[in-house]
């Protein structure tokens, strides 16, 4: 959610926390360190647990370790022990006596609680030197001062996650004050619109119950991971997101596109020439695409399938349909290397059929630019390239189909800019990262989904082993063996998201070391900062066997195909997503000989690393791996938040809540069926809130 959008349509929530009593500049700075700046942020700073301080426990019934509230009368009070280092106060109730002890204290303060004072003492029960129960450093409150609204006694008290330098009592106090000021003001258009088992509380009520549990709160309410209030807040977030996707889908479906309805001769010829038969999944996908493109509305379809499930043929089939219908097709790849490789594959399929293809990469260069423009304006029927394809100056004669490869690499915005150009083309998105199905549904909710479940060539098994940093020498030994056998290897250097410069340096240093270690072999370097031609030449030398070791960054992640490469070593493996590693290892063992992959952890891999990497060693099922990554790291990390376009929710968590999505969608579909424009008073408010929250991010063109 972008910073300028408050979580609810309540301008008050943009207010700085500094506006609350007891929040001075130092506290503001410390809170900011936890990303707590506005009231809207603090609203979702939810308690980690609760202390039940509702009823006092009789002294005789105290148990060790219990957080207890004791109500009693002071029977003695004064300094204690040698040299007056301790302070001791004894409380008595109808059932017994209890000592309270302080090691650090302000004497005058404690002396204020004299004999006969009626007090509440709140603290954890521990054991004294003679086995008796005691409280160390309890909080004390006079019974006469404790009214029904007291923040610390007679109620369930929220325990917030620790904020360094801000006392828990301070946090509690100003959070309570903020909640008081927001009371009854949080607008919730979903209130009363959803079944109560799904949405037991409206948003304001759910937040109030989270921060200030009511007196009658039951054990369920006090479990922050399962409370009904949590469910309501999660549904609130997911509902608007899903509605945003539904609106986006509707925008597409109501836009017009040129229907592409060829007889299918070109496609038939493509299929005749194939050395294999399509899998049922491929046939189904092609049939769905054919149907989509024949309509007068733009297709929006996601073709999801693990590496090697044969997405390229499906994409080529779609191109044949477009070309025969007199339109142009464009395929956009994430890197130049991939674009060139796609062009080679597509040319092999399409040139024999008389289709004219052109490459569009590196648009910065003037000559190149002119060539791209000429190809687009009529010279070519199929254009394959990078984002250069869609630079501002390129105008297509008749662009009918856009295919985007490796969808997760592109931000939502790039995709939108593309779709917005001229009349809307039909769009097919290829995703090689197997997205867990639940997530695919939720994320790509505005697209139709075609799955390729089977790998036509059978499962690809790459023997995979995880190595700790200390054992990295084993990887070099393995590399030596592979080279001895006359085979080739990739060495992948860690991805440093922040800077491809550092990334490149890492690869450079590794290449240099390996080059010294293997003087008889050619070690080459490939990274994203090299220019396209240089990358191509390097790759060509590796493919032709002139070099034997290719040290690379993740430019080789997808698509690169060198059958003689049998070993892949990944350095700093914990830095990669599991799905990404799975993709990477798919690069070896593509020829007759089996492949192997060594995942070498970095020096400080973190706790989860070993467990995560073990998943890869144990399975070669991409979907299973994606699922595991989702559970172990959460979707933002697993897919890379930037790349996935996945929104950062405050409460909802895909791994828990995604199962709700189908039900939410059904509800939304019902709404749209009855009132397609969402014009009715209640639905209009819901729609307006969805656009307010997601309009920019999802590119919902309609104004609220
Ligand atoms: P993806 O892009 O999904 O990773 P590709 O389209 O590159 O997969 O296909 C992987 C390999 O499988 C290619 O060599 C391709 O020629 C081959 N292939 C595709 N479909 C079939 C099929 N139905 N039967 C046999 N081989 C196929
Ligand atoms: Mg592919």
């Amino acid at each position: 959610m972008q910073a300028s959008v408050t979580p609810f349509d309540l301008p008050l929530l943009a207010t700085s926390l500094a506006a609350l009593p007891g929040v001075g500049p130092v506290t503001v700075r410390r809170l900011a360190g936890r990303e707590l700046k506005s009231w809207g942020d603090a609203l979702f700073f939810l308690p980690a647990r609760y202390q039940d301080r509702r009823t006092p426990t009789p002294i005789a019934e105290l148990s060790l370790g219990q957080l207890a509230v004791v109500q009693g009368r002071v029977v003695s009070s004064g300094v204690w022990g040698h040299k007056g280092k301790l302070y001791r106060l004894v409380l008595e109730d109808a059932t017994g006596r209890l000592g309270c002890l302080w090691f650090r204290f302000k004497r005058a303060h404690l002396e204020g609680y004299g004999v006969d004072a009626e007090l509440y003492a709140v603290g954890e029960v521990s054991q004294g030197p003679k086995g008796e129960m005691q409280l160390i450093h309890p909080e004390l409150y006079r019974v006469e001062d404790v009214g029904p609204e007291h923040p610390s006694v007679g109620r369930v008290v929220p325990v917030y996650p620790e904020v360094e330098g801000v006392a828990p009592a301070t946090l509690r106090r100003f959070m309570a004050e903020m909640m008081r000021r927001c009371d009854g003001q949080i607008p919730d258009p979903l209130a009363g619109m959803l079944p109560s088992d799904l949405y037991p509380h409206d948003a304001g009520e759910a937040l109030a119950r989270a921060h200030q549990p009511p007196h009658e709160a039951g054990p369920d309410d006090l479990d922050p991971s399962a409370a009904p209030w949590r469910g309501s807040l999660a549904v609130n977030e997911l509902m608007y997101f899903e509605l945003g996707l539904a609106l986006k889908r509707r925008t597409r479906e109501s836009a017009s596109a040129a229907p592409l309805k060829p007889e299918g001769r070109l496609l038939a010829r493509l299929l005749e020439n194939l050395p294999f038969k399509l899998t049922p999944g491929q046939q189904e996908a092609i049939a769905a695409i054919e149907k989509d493109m024949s309509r007068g509305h733009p297709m929006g379809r996601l073709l999801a399938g693990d590496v090697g499930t044969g997405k390229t043929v499906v994409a080529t089939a779609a191109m044949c349909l477009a070309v025969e219908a007199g339109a142009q097709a464009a395929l956009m790849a994430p890197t130049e290397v991939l674009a060139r490789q796609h062009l080679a594959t597509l040319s092999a399929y399409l040139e024999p059929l008389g289709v004219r293809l052109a490459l569009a990469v590196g648009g910065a260069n003037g000559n190149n630019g002119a060539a791209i423009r000429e190809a687009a304006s009529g010279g070519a029927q199929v254009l394959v390239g990078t984002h250069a394809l869609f630079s501002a100056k390129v105008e297509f004669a008749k662009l009918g189909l856009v295919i985007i490869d490796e969808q997760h690499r592109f931000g939502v915005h790039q995709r939108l800019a593309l779709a917005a150009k001229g009349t809307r083309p039909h769009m097919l998105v290829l995703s090689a990262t197997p997205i867990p199905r639940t997530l695919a549904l939720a994320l790509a909710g505005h697209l139709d989904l075609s799955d390729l479940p089977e790998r036509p060539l059978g499962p690809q098994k790459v023997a995979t082993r995880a190595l700790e940093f200390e054992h990295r020498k084993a990887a070099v030994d393995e590399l030596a063996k592979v080279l001895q056998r006359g085979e080739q290897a990739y060495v992948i250097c860690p991805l440093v998201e922040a800077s491809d410069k550092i990334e490149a340096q890492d690869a450079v240093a590794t290449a240099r070391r390996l080059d010294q270690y293997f003087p008889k072999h050619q070690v080459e370097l490939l990274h994203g900062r090299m220019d396209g031609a240089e990358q191509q030449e390097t790759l060509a030398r590796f493919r032709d066997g002139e070099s034997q070791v290719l040290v690379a960054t993740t430019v080789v992640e997808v698509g690169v195909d060198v059958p003689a490469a049998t070993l892949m070593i990944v350095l700093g493996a914990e830095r990669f997503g599991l799905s990404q590693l799975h993709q990477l290892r798919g690069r070896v063992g593509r020829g007759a000989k089996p492949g192997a992959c060594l995942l070498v952890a970095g020096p400080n891999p973190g706790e989860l690393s070993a467990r995560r990497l073990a998943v890869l060693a144990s399975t070669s099922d991409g979907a299973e791996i994606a699922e595991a990554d989702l559970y172990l790291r959460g979707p933002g990390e697993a897919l890379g938040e930037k790349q996935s376009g996945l929104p950062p929710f405050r409460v909802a968590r895909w791994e828990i809540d995604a199962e709700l999505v189908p039900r939410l969608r059904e509800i939304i579909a019902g709404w749209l069926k009855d009132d397609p424009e969402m014009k009715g008073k209640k639905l209009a408010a819901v729609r307006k809130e969805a656009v307010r929250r997601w309009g920019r991010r999802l590119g919902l063109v309609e104004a609220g």
Side-chain angles (χ1 to χ4, degrees), residues 123 142 223 231 261 276 281 370 382 396 399 405 423 478 521 531 563 576 593-594 609 619 655:
R142 281 176 206 284
D223 174 357
K261 275 194 235 181
F276 48 74
V382 168
F396 290 89
L399 182 61
D405 192 15
T423 56
E478 189 61 37
H521 293 94
D531 75 36
F576 298 85
K593 292 180 182 158
S609 166
T619 177
E655 62 275 34

Side-chain angles (χ1 to χ4, degrees), residues 476-492:
V476 182
D477 295 343
E478 189 61 37
L479 179 54
K481 280 189 215 154
V482 162
L483 294 176
Q484 193 91 53
R485 292 200 297 262
E487 295 162 14
Q488 292 167 282
Y490 297 97
V491 177
I492 307 297

Side-chain angles (χ1 to χ4, degrees), residues 490-496 502-511 513-514 525-527 550-556 568-573 575-576 580-581 584:
Y490 297 97
V491 177
I492 307 297
C493 291
L495 172 94
V496 179
I502 297 175
E503 187 183 329
Q505 279 169 359
D506 248 11
V508 170
T510 304
R513 279 200 304 276
L514 288 174
L525 182 62
L526 182 71
H527 60 72
L550 189 66
V551 177
T553 56
T554 45
V555 272
V556 301
M568 169 161 292
I569 297 173
V570 183
L571 303 175
R575 298 225 205 142
F576 298 85
Q580 199 180 8
L581 289 170
L584 277 168

